[in-house]
Amino acid sequence: MIQLLLVPAALLIALVFGIPLLRYSWLSFHADSVLTGLVAIPNHGANWLRLLHDQRFWQDTYQTARFATVSVSLELLLAIAIALLLDQRWRGRGVVRAISLLPWALPTTVMALGWRWIFNTPYGPIEQFTELIGLQPLNILSNPNITWLATVVGDVWKTTPFAALILLAGLQTIPNDLYEAFHLEGGHPRAALFQITLPLLQPYLLLSLLFRLAQAFGVFDLIQVMTGGGPAGSTESLALYAYLNAMRFLDFGYSATVMISGFLLLVIACLIAWLIIKQTSHWREALK
Amino acid sequence: MKRRIFWKIVLLFSLTSVALFASWALSTRPVQINILMPAPFAESTTDLVQQFNKDHHGRIQVQVTRGPLETEAVSDLAISSLLLGKSPFDALLIDVTWLPKYAAAGWLIPLDSLIDQQQIDSIVPGAMLGNHFDGKLYRWPLVADMGLLYWRTDLMSEPPRTPEELIKVSLKLQKEGRVANGYVWQGRQYEGLSCVFLEVLDGFGGQWLEPETDNVGLDSSASLKAASWLRELISSGASPKAVINYAENEALQAFKSGDVALMRNWPYAWGELQKPNSDVRGNVGVTTMVASAGNRSTSTLGSWGFSILKGSSNPQAAAKAIAFLTSTSAQKKLFLNDSYTPTKAELFKDPELLSKSQILPELAKALQSTDQRPSTPLYAQISDVLQRNLSSILTGQSSVSDAMANAQANTKKILMAARETK
Amino acid sequence: MNLVLQNVGRRFGRKWIVRHLDLEVGEGECLALLGPSGCGKSTTLRLIAGLDQPNEGSITIAGEDVTTVSPVDRRIGMVFQSYALFPHLTVFANLSLGLQVRGIAASERKQRVASVLALMQLEDLAERHPAELSGGQRQRVALARALLRDPLVYLLDEPMSNLDAQLREDLRPQLRHLILQGSQPVIYVTHDQHEAMAMAHRIAVMRDGKIEQIGTPQELYHNPLSLFVASFIGRPQINLLPAESGIIKAIRPEHLQLSSEGIPCRLVYREWLGTSQLLILESNRGRLRMLCASEITIPETIKLNWSPEKEHQFDASSGERC
């Protein structure tokens, strides 16, 4: 009977996720572009064949995976540190908790413009500083080898608060008793981090990992505003490529193909992340 | 019984009169014309729109939807609304490069029946480029835009005219310590880079793409020379490495601060450079892009014009509004207030404008030597391929020959796939 | 081995939670800290464990002043009210974690944990997680962990409060036996006087952060030094007669006797308890509780009396014995 109450939610999910997913899967087997007069014509997997041989798609896949992995790893590390700090009792903690959420509340486009300015050569603060200490300009946004790291910085800054918030909630579910018991057993507070905190935080780590992976795989606005996918296409994400195909090139069939393959890659990435965490933990027990 | 019939008649009568009144009220309500424009255009045309609505009071009511600041975002907005079926917009201010795509998608209505030959003859030939697709007129120009070379009159007596001269003077001025940087332009991987390249390519006598024949010239020797020269600008130090991420605004800020000798930009920059906060006010000259010996100096045409969308309920009224907004007097106002380059030929000889603007003759000259980016519905893909490969050259990721061969091959692939689909 | 608290005080802000606390628990002795919630008994326990620091006074364990020693180094065997078992570890890992962090070799760990598992009859549960154990089993694991600590002092914080009544009675002798095997002093915190009397050699009754009386269960029962102790110890509760010239008389329910002379009462309620019966009686001196053998038949109206040596007298204003 209880399951009956889930029906509206299930319908809603089917509506907002299922239908577009089906529609895009269907579209990926059709030519639908400005050349077909925006009419979908079956093309027998030609889009998928094209995808397999599309160097740019594979480069973007590599870039997206690299961006997501590095950015999410850094975010989680930082988020753990911030959550631990915010979990301690100290004067002004409430204010800092509120302030630390600000980057997350800021619209991505606004903060992406900000980062573009910060990394700007020669007027941005970073280059001003390198000039001050007598170094050559770094040209961070003009170097295909490092520009993507600048976008990682932007992403980490923006989304770490979100992960930290989830982890903070997780920390607060760990009873203080456990730490006290651990200390009485002769364990030092530092060891408690690895023996108690992190193992018990694992369900929350997994939760934020999956959330963040999904977001990072779909990264679009940050890249679009900060670098436009450049230089030399080095920062282009799959979502940006799908967007270009749909809105700029008016090639909806191929855009759907890119989008669906990006979705499949995300599912694979989440499965891998889940398996790794599951292997090394007893998080299911902690959830009981 | 009689009474009931009486009431029925009264009811019928009153209903009919309400319906009649409503239809009369509706028929006399002014025709609503909704035009979507990028934010800067929406702002500068506010007075003109008010004027038009006053003149056509009760008959046509123009309403301007203020689009996003970023031009591609305006296109996204328009396309989204068009894809959903009935677009709320009657007309759209569109960029020259969007036109073939929109026309091929069947979103625009031809203007041939709405605009006569006399009107067409009143436009500068350079500004008539890019308004047609498949032999039909789809766009009516409001503003002409062309790439210009800005130079510092306090640093040199004559602007450089050839690619070699440009590098030489840039290096010389830096060496003498008179400026920090030589030449700034748009090297970011975006549409601006294609515009920069097209001018240089023309200056070396090359051609990007011939849409009629699908002839691609990106691996020609002129293309290789053009790309090599852009790379040399950076490697020689004539341009700072940072131009690899410069769009129009970054270039303008650098030039405006007085740190730079030369800049490639659009006419709007002139107005900005004359503002009180500009460090180079009064020391700026304008000319067209450099060209190698024996080749023509060219400006990439970038212009904005109005198109009427297929779903418009009243194309005639929309055309009336467009005619007013692009009229000689309107363009004159827009030039005086916002330095929008006119498209009407007579304005370039207008004594009032000539007395107020010293760059008008240069603009006229540039308009006579404009080149248009390939007019094809596939332009966005093709330009995207070029941008990526040029960016790859500028950042040193690829050699000039590899990247241009790659650009050539990928452009051909796009054209070939298109032919197959058709 | 013993435990000594001297003039220990702890305050939060300006409010003293415990103050002027003096305690001595000897070798192998079990002392119960008994009192209502908020009396400071848990705070006292945490101060001894080192989980909280006193603002004044000193704490000595086995002759060593540990007032400023970290809990990590105090060698305390503690059983938490919640048992505080690590939910992500199996019973075996729960028990060996402490040995591991104290740097004991794997082989020795295994052997020591195995012997404690055997002692506590937990062998079959070694691979389970705490969530898969019953309350009693959890308590045994928590005790086993405390045993493995090889402590100088045992601290038990309401170890029975999470168990049902039947289980409590079953476990009491077992727990007592285990704890008293060693020579360590034991502090047993509880709010249940019955449990305190059953488990402890001596009981310290606490109230408002102070020790009201300390003594053997018999001393507390037979010779309460205050009205508070008299009412807190013993069930059914002691009868308090209305004050007469500043004196409150108190008589335990089992010391009331039927007699021809005495306070006239009317039976209101009768509760049969098996070998005994509890009578609730209404009199002109208030409501009285009486406990007597269940064979006796009680008429509607009776007269009650008691022998004077069974009577306790307290000062009505101070509550102290007089």
Side-chain angles (χ1 to χ4, degrees):
Chain A
M1 235 25 220
I2 284 287
Q3 283 89 331
L4 215 62
L5 295 175
L6 294 175
V7 167
L11 279 179
L12 195 70
I13 287 174
L15 208 70
V16 297
F17 289 107
I19 292 179
L21 212 59
L22 285 177
R23 159 98 186 139
Y24 275 84
S25 306
W26 177 85
L27 204 54
S28 74
F29 289 95
H30 290 75
D32 181 359
S33 72
V34 65
L35 296 167
T36 68
L38 302 184
V39 175
I41 301 165
N43 66 356
H44 319 293
N47 290 333
W48 287 96
L49 205 65
R50 177 178 160 198
L51 190 85
L52 284 179
H53 296 103
D54 185 355
Q55 236 179 27
R56 182 166 172 184
F57 168 78
W58 292 110
Q59 190 194 324
D60 290 354
T61 302
Y62 168 70
Q63 165 56 23
T64 307
R66 178 169 75 162
F67 172 86
T69 314
V70 175
S71 154
V72 172
S73 312
L74 281 175
E75 272 157 34
L76 286 188
L77 282 179
L78 272 175
I80 290 171
I82 291 172
L84 286 172
L85 198 69
L86 292 181
D87 194 39
Q88 308 290 316
R89 273 174 207 280
W90 39 278
R91 196 181 276 273
R93 176 180 70 164
V95 179
V96 175
R97 273 189 187 177
I99 289 175
S100 69
L101 267 178
L102 273 183
W104 186 54
L106 219 58
T108 310
T109 41
V110 173
M111 72 109 202
L113 275 176
W115 282 108
R116 187 169 154 187
W117 163 247
I118 288 169
F119 287 117
N120 170 287
T121 306
Y123 301 105
I126 292 180
E127 294 290 14
Q128 294 277 313
F129 179 73
T130 52
E131 195 187 330
L132 198 75
I133 59 172
L135 289 177
Q136 286 295 309
L138 299 172
N139 290 306
I140 293 164
L141 293 184
S142 319
N143 185 338
N145 297 320
I146 56 173
T147 305
W148 74 278
L149 288 170
T151 64
V152 166
V153 170
D155 194 54
V156 168
W157 186 82
K158 159 98 184 154
T159 52
T160 300
F162 173 73
L165 195 71
I166 292 184
L167 296 184
L168 182 60
L171 282 179
Q172 290 177 344
T173 65
I174 303 178
N176 208 30
D177 276 4
L178 297 186
Y179 293 105
E180 297 184 341
F182 185 72
H183 293 165
L184 291 174
E185 286 282 283
H188 280 275
R190 233 175 306 119
L193 177 66
F194 294 98
Q195 299 282 6
I196 313 285
T197 312
L198 291 182
L200 289 180
L201 214 50
Q202 237 145 15
Y204 297 88
L205 280 169
L206 181 68
L207 186 72
S208 42
L209 176 72
L210 294 186
F211 261 128
R212 284 297 311 130
L213 263 188
Q215 281 180 324
F217 255 87
V219 66
F220 168 71
D221 36 9
L222 173 78
I223 306 290
Q224 166 75 345
V225 175
M226 230 174 127
T227 65
S234 63
T235 58
E236 187 171 278
S237 67
L238 280 176
L240 186 53
Y241 190 37
Y243 157 82
L244 286 178
N245 272 294
M247 298 304 281
R248 298 281 159 84
F249 309 164
L250 294 185
D251 188 346
F252 297 98
Y254 194 58
S255 173
T257 316
V258 173
M259 210 123 45
I260 290 292
S261 46
F263 173 75
L264 293 177
L265 285 169
L266 171 63
V267 170
I268 292 170
C270 286
L271 272 178
I272 292 173
W274 184 68
L275 281 176
I276 290 173
I277 287 246
K278 199 183 144 215
Q279 279 260 310
T280 59
S281 78
H282 305 277
W283 64 275
R284 276 175 307 141
E285 275 76 15
L287 276 178
K288 278 181 189 162
Chain B
M1 200 63 188
K2 261 186 183 170
R3 190 157 257 207
R4 218 181 259 176
I5 288 170
F6 171 75
W7 281 116
K8 272 186 182 165
I9 290 170
V10 168
L11 191 70
L12 196 68
F13 180 76
S14 47
L15 278 177
T16 319
S17 51
V18 165
L20 278 174
F21 179 79
S23 63
W24 172 79
L26 281 174
S27 69
T28 56
R29 236 179 55 183
V31 179
Q32 292 278 340
I33 297 296
N34 195 339
I35 309 178
L36 174 65
M37 303 186 197
F41 291 102
E43 263 155 41
S44 41
T45 54
T46 309
D47 290 347
L48 291 169
V49 168
Q50 261 176 14
Q51 182 64 44
F52 178 84
N53 286 340
K54 217 162 105 188
D55 294 350
H56 294 79
H57 185 67
R59 282 165 292 140
I60 306 175
Q61 174 79 22
V62 170
Q63 197 193 337
V64 173
T65 300
R66 192 175 182 279
L69 203 64
E70 218 253 307
T71 54
E72 288 297 338
V74 179
S75 177
D76 291 351
L77 181 64
I79 290 177
S80 304
S81 81
L82 288 161
L83 286 172
L84 287 173
K86 180 101 178 70
S87 172
F89 309 116
D90 293 279
L92 177 65
L93 188 61
I94 77 174
D95 182 76
V96 64
T97 58
W98 305 347
L99 183 93
K101 183 165 77 180
Y102 277 63
W107 290 331
L108 307 180
I109 56 175
L111 306 177
D112 301 274
S113 61
L114 298 167
I115 284 162
D116 56 35
Q117 190 59 40
Q118 197 190 341
Q119 279 175 292
I120 291 174
D121 292 339
S122 73
I123 305 289
V124 193
M128 269 321 284
L129 289 177
N131 296 327
H132 287 83
F133 179 76
D134 256 357
K136 290 190 186 115
L137 181 69
Y138 281 106
R139 190 180 84 135
W140 194 242
L142 169 71
V143 188
D145 227 2
M146 50 277 166
L148 297 169
L149 182 64
Y150 287 79
W151 58 285
R152 290 273 296 277
T153 52
D154 54 335
L155 296 176
M156 51 198 115
S157 51
E158 289 288 323
R161 289 321 308 148
T162 66
E164 300 79 41
E165 272 176 36
L166 189 146
I167 290 184
K168 217 167 97 190
V169 71
S170 295
L171 292 176
K172 183 170 151 270
L173 287 168
Q174 286 182 77
K175 209 170 161 195
E176 290 167 358
R178 301 180 69 187
V179 277
N181 290 306
Y183 172 46
V184 292
W185 40 286
Q186 291 83 48
R188 185 176 159 92
Q189 183 190 321
Y190 81 121
E191 185 54 32
L193 183 54
S194 292
C195 297
V196 165
F197 181 73
L198 179 62
E199 284 161 5
V200 177
L201 179 63
D202 284 342
F204 281 99
Q207 194 184 23
W208 181 355
L209 168 71
E210 179 76 57
E212 287 75 31
T213 59
D214 278 2
N215 223 335
V216 185
L218 291 179
D219 61 353
S220 67
S221 72
S223 281
L224 295 179
K225 276 185 205 160
S228 301
W229 183 71
L230 288 179
R231 171 125 133 193
E232 194 191 343
L233 284 174
I234 294 166
S235 61
S236 68
S239 293
K241 196 161 181 250
V243 296
I244 295 173
N245 195 43
Y246 273 14
E248 283 89 355
N249 194 38
E250 283 90 352
L252 175 64
Q253 294 312 320
F255 192 77
K256 204 172 172 181
S257 71
D259 288 345
V260 170
L262 296 154
M263 167 179 73
R264 187 266 175 204
N265 217 322
W266 305 98
Y268 85 99
W270 175 263
E272 294 292 321
L273 295 172
Q274 302 311 314
K275 286 189 174 161
N277 65 355
S278 161
D279 289 334
V280 294
R281 202 173 162 197
N283 293 327
V284 182
V286 166
T287 183
T288 49
M289 190 43 62
V290 292
S292 67
N295 289 306
R296 203 168 63 115
S297 166
T298 310
S299 291
T300 297
L301 178 74
S303 66
W304 290 88
F306 290 106
S307 292
I308 300 179
L309 298 179
K310 198 139 230 177
S312 172
S313 53
N314 200 329
Q316 274 78 20
K320 257 186 202 162
I322 289 170
F324 178 80
L325 292 174
T326 58
S327 64
T328 309
S329 66
Q331 291 197 1
K332 193 168 173 173
K333 269 188 199 146
L334 288 173
F335 180 72
L336 289 173
N337 294 337
D338 299 281
S339 0
Y340 284 1
T341 310
T343 60
K344 296 274 186 189
E346 60 180 299
L347 285 177
F348 289 93
K349 297 176 200 109
D350 186 292
E352 190 192 343
L353 293 194
L354 282 168
S355 71
K356 284 195 173 143
S357 166
Q358 55 184 106
I359 64 160
L360 198 59
E362 289 297 336
L363 294 178
K365 213 161 73 188
L367 256 179
Q368 282 161 16
S369 60
T370 52
D371 192 9
Q372 189 194 354
R373 286 161 279 173
S375 175
T376 153
L378 300 168
Y379 175 73
Q381 280 107 305
I382 287 165
S383 175
D384 187 68
V385 163
L386 179 64
Q387 291 158 29
R388 283 170 73 91
N389 284 291
L390 286 175
S391 184
S392 179
I393 291 171
L394 298 180
T395 54
Q397 293 292 100
S398 308
S399 72
V400 172
S401 53
D402 283 356
M404 293 315 283
N406 192 24
Q408 173 82 9
N410 280 327
T411 307
K412 280 197 151 167
K413 212 190 270 177
I414 290 166
L415 296 172
M416 199 107 73
R419 217 176 301 144
E420 278 166 22
T421 310
K422 267 182 173 166
Chain C
M1 271 198 258
N2 66 345
L3 167 72
V4 181
L5 269 67
Q6 276 179 319
N7 191 34
V8 167
R10 174 75 175 114
R11 62 182 158 81
F12 291 118
R14 282 161 60 189
K15 183 173 162 47
W16 289 92
I17 306 301
V18 293
R19 197 165 195 192
H20 304 314
L21 209 66
D22 291 298
L23 264 186
E24 182 166 355
V25 191
E27 204 167 302
E29 186 190 15
C30 179
L31 178 92
L33 288 181
L34 175 67
S37 58
C39 71
K41 56 189 192 298
S42 287
T43 303
T44 309
L45 200 73
R46 293 174 59 80
L47 290 171
I48 298 168
L51 298 172
D52 198 358
Q53 267 62 55
N55 296 90
E56 56 184 40
S58 72
I59 298 168
T60 310
I61 295 176
E64 193 192 339
D65 186 340
V66 296
T67 315
T68 56
V69 172
S70 137
V72 175
D73 301 319
R74 277 196 198 188
R75 273 178 72 188
I76 301 284
M78 183 152 169
V79 174
F80 287 80
Q81 187 172 1
S82 66
Y83 305 134
L85 302 179
F86 306 121
H88 56 297
L89 300 178
T90 60
V91 167
F92 188 93
N94 257 285
L95 296 181
S96 71
L97 180 64
L99 299 173
Q100 188 194 331
V101 297
R102 295 200 295 276
I104 288 161
S107 56
E108 192 190 336
R109 283 204 306 260
K110 212 169 172 181
Q111 180 237 316
R112 281 175 66 179
V113 172
S115 71
V116 169
L117 283 171
L119 178 71
M120 302 298 291
Q121 294 165 348
L122 286 166
E123 293 111 318
D124 297 344
L125 308 176
E127 291 313 311
R128 296 223 189 142
H129 283 86
E132 298 160 325
L133 301 178
S134 71
Q137 290 166 337
R138 285 181 209 183
Q139 192 210 42
R140 294 219 302 276
V141 177
L143 265 173
R145 186 169 67 185
L147 286 176
L148 273 170
R149 179 67 172 106
D150 185 21
L152 299 172
V153 178
Y154 281 111
L155 301 177
L156 309 182
D157 188 3
E158 306 258 14
M160 298 285 193
S161 67
N162 280 331
L163 307 175
D164 61 52
Q166 181 59 47
L167 203 53
R168 274 185 225 188
E169 271 183 29
D170 293 350
L171 288 176
R172 246 184 241 144
Q174 202 187 351
L175 181 60
R176 191 177 155 88
H177 173 72
L178 267 170
I179 295 166
L180 300 181
Q181 263 185 342
S183 57
Q184 295 91 338
V186 178
I187 302 257
Y188 192 109
V189 164
T190 180
H191 65 278
D192 180 345
Q193 53 96 28
H194 191 62
E195 201 174 301
M197 287 200 278
M199 300 297 294
H201 297 115
R202 285 192 300 151
I203 298 174
V205 177
M206 291 187 71
R207 181 193 187 191
D208 296 339
K210 290 190 190 73
I211 292 178
E212 190 91 357
Q213 184 177 357
I214 188 163
T216 63
Q218 293 77 13
E219 279 167 14
L220 295 182
Y221 188 81
H222 295 300
N223 197 18
L225 292 180
S226 69
L227 209 52
F228 179 77
V229 174
S231 337
F232 206 83
I233 301 279
R235 288 290 175 278
Q237 225 180 3
I238 201 164
N239 291 302
L240 302 178
L241 301 181
E244 276 169 26
S245 48
I247 302 282
I248 294 175
K249 288 180 178 174
I251 312 100
R252 297 221 175 261
E254 60 271 36
H255 296 148
L256 288 176
Q257 292 164 345
L258 291 174
S259 80
S260 47
E261 295 289 302
I263 307 171
C265 299
R266 188 174 57 81
L267 182 66
V268 190
Y269 174 72
R270 180 170 167 274
E271 197 173 291
W272 188 69
L273 300 171
T275 55
S276 59
Q277 56 182 328
L278 172 65
L279 308 171
I280 307 290
L281 305 150
E282 201 69 67
S283 77
N284 60 349
R285 314 276 296 265
R287 193 165 264 219
L288 296 174
R289 288 172 292 275
M290 176 183 173
L291 202 60
C292 64
S294 49
E295 309 85 63
I296 306 170
T297 329
I298 308 289
E300 266 301 282
T301 53
I302 51 171
K303 283 183 178 158
L304 289 181
N305 210 340
W306 58 89
S307 52
E309 71 269 20
K310 300 287 188 192
E311 178 185 295
H312 308 278
Q313 293 190 351
F314 299 99
D315 185 292
S317 53
S318 70
E320 278 170 31
R321 190 176 189 95
C322 50

